Amino acid sequence: MFDIELKAVSKKYAGTEEPAVKNLSLAVEKGSIVTLLGPSGCGKSTTLRLIAGFERPDVGSIALAGKVVSDSNTWIAPEKRGVGMVFQDYALFPHLNIFKNIGFGYKANDHNKRITEVIELVNLKGYEKRYPHELSGGQQQRVALARALTRKPVVVLLDEPFSNLDADLRVHMRLEVKRIIKESGATAIFVSHDQKDALAISDSIVVMNEGVVQQMGTPREIYQYPENKFVATFVGQSNILEGKMARDEESVITDLGIIPCSHTHGLKSGEEVYISIRPDSFEMDPEGQIKGRIKESTYTGESIDAVVEIVFDNGTRRDLLTHIHPEKEVKIGDLVRFKVLPHFIAVIRHD
């Protein structure tokens, strides 16, 4: 069952030449977490506002829990859609304590009981009488999420929920928010421009650019098998090479040699293609087929992120991004060899 369905939805704002969202179709299964991922201005926040009812689509239909809330003949107001919203700045009331913030606007007979349930769900028991300024950023975020969940919404919409958190807290809150949403049984859509947030929290990811969906899939599918150059370079780092499909139709002929690929999209021998090679696909090896010099290196603790300059037989040069094991000793100017590992390599159709 789908809790959210968008069919051929488009939205153009007055005074703009191009639509913010173009012909978007999306189906979100009940209980799943989906992230709309893309750069600023790609249409992800507009999509969230269309689902919430803050904007009306020019064409297309939107249904929540099987009920049409917007099409050419139907319009249901935001407050009647059963949507819970978590804003980027949390939008907590500074003059209300945590119990009253979470219960604001909730007038059902089980008012106190429901608020207590949600407070326990988000691990804030004992904080009921505190005020927002007395809480950490992560605690404030949990209050905002609890308030959204109090009404048992059909869907929860979260707009850049981690953007105001520092790096360590951000990592913790990804896990915490995912746990809370899953335990509540809610269906959730996140908006984010951060690929690490999307990969960590999502059941599926929708990558957008210029109002158009570029690819939908699980985090693993999006990262390992990007379908175009935009996805390959936006979701993580990647080396994009030109090549041709080999006769076996399972490898690609490139300037680096013949590279085997496990994901070829059914492309045929001789077709011109791009190949996406993640930095982790290169491994230092004294017998490796790729030879170059270390041009730049950055020690991150987890790896050495290096730029290796390759000089081809015809004299042309290009830089490759690679991750070197942190125990390896390398310095700028070193001559090194690499082999290509079979994982994290995908073939992309030629534009």
Side-chain angles (χ1 to χ4, degrees):
M1 176 182 175
F2 297 123
D3 266 353
I4 306 171
E5 288 186 272
L6 282 70
K7 296 181 180 179
V9 169
S10 293
K11 174 65 180 179
K12 183 179 179 181
Y13 292 109
T16 60
E17 294 183 2
E18 294 293 329
V21 173
K22 305 176 187 177
N23 197 34
L24 173 62
S25 293
L26 174 65
V28 179
E29 292 186 355
K30 182 178 178 62
S32 62
I33 300 174
V34 174
T35 296
L36 305 179
L37 177 67
S40 297
C42 73
K44 56 187 186 295
S45 291
T46 295
T47 302
L48 204 72
R49 292 176 64 82
L50 289 167
I51 295 170
F54 301 150
E55 302 286 350
R56 189 165 188 166
D58 300 326
V59 295
S61 66
I62 301 172
L64 301 179
K67 180 181 179 181
V68 174
V69 296
S70 177
D71 64 13
S72 58
N73 300 312
T74 306
W75 175 255
I76 293 179
E79 64 272 17
K80 297 181 179 180
R81 293 192 178 193
V83 170
M85 192 82 187
V86 179
F87 297 96
Q88 185 175 342
D89 61 358
Y90 311 144
L92 303 181
F93 299 107
H95 62 290
L96 298 181
N97 64 27
I98 300 314
F99 190 92
K100 291 181 179 179
N101 256 287
I102 291 173
F104 184 81
Y106 186 67
K107 300 178 181 179
N109 292 333
D110 66 344
H111 180 272
N112 289 354
K113 179 175 179 293
R114 178 57 182 164
I115 296 171
T116 300
E117 289 174 350
V118 177
I119 285 174
E120 291 180 354
L121 175 65
V122 300
N123 286 335
L124 285 176
K125 189 175 181 179
Y127 291 80
E128 293 89 342
K129 295 183 179 180
R130 295 195 186 185
Y131 289 82
H133 72 275
E134 298 176 303
L135 303 183
S136 68
Q139 290 168 334
Q140 290 180 26
Q141 185 179 66
R142 280 185 277 161
V143 172
L145 182 55
R147 184 174 60 190
L149 292 172
T150 298
R151 295 173 178 79
K152 300 179 182 179
V154 174
V155 299
V156 179
L157 307 177
L158 302 99
D159 188 5
E160 300 279 6
F162 306 121
S163 62
N164 295 326
L165 305 179
D166 61 46
D168 289 340
L169 184 56
R170 192 172 189 136
V171 172
H172 171 74
M173 288 308 299
R174 288 174 189 149
L175 300 176
E176 185 70 359
V177 170
K178 184 174 184 177
R179 176 195 66 79
I180 292 168
I181 291 173
K182 287 297 184 181
E183 289 185 9
S184 72
T187 302
I189 290 190
F190 280 76
V191 160
S192 180
H193 65 273
D194 187 290
Q195 43 122 351
K196 290 184 178 180
D197 289 346
L199 292 171
I201 204 167
S202 309
D203 295 311
S204 61
I205 298 173
V206 180
V207 183
M208 299 180 68
N209 189 38
E210 296 181 348
V212 177
V213 172
Q214 303 294 309
Q215 186 174 347
M216 301 183 191
T218 66
R220 183 179 295 274
E221 289 168 344
I222 294 293
Y223 186 80
Q224 291 193 6
Y225 307 122
E227 293 180 358
N228 58 43
K229 289 192 292 182
F230 175 81
V231 176
T233 54
F234 186 80
V235 184
Q237 296 175 309
S238 189
N239 298 283
I240 307 295
L241 305 177
E242 291 185 321
K244 287 186 178 181
M245 293 299 298
R247 288 185 178 181
D248 62 9
E249 298 181 353
E250 295 180 354
S251 55
V252 177
I253 303 168
T254 74
D255 289 337
L256 296 180
I258 299 176
I259 299 177
C261 304
S262 60
H263 202 74
T264 61
H265 297 291
L267 292 162
K268 302 299 181 183
S269 172
E271 284 193 63
E272 292 186 350
V273 297
Y274 294 106
I275 183 171
S276 166
I277 307 177
R278 299 292 187 185
D280 297 305
S281 297
F282 294 115
E283 183 177 89
M284 284 184 64
D285 186 333
E287 304 298 325
Q289 71 188 81
I290 302 170
K291 181 174 67 175
R293 290 190 183 276
I294 302 292
K295 187 175 178 181
E296 300 174 18
S297 69
T298 303
Y299 179 76
T300 67
E302 297 177 350
S303 68
I304 299 170
D305 294 354
V307 177
V308 180
E309 184 181 55
I310 310 297
V311 180
F312 297 106
D313 293 338
N314 61 8
T316 61
R317 301 168 182 263
R318 75 159 294 153
D319 293 340
L320 294 178
L321 300 173
T322 182
H323 295 161
I324 300 172
H325 195 282
E327 292 185 355
K328 299 285 186 181
E329 293 288 343
V330 296
K331 60 182 181 297
I332 294 175
D334 280 355
L335 181 64
V336 291
R337 286 183 176 272
F338 293 88
K339 65 180 179 182
V340 182
L341 302 177
H343 56 277
F344 301 138
I345 297 176
V347 176
I348 296 171
R349 293 183 183 276
H350 208 282
D351 293 342

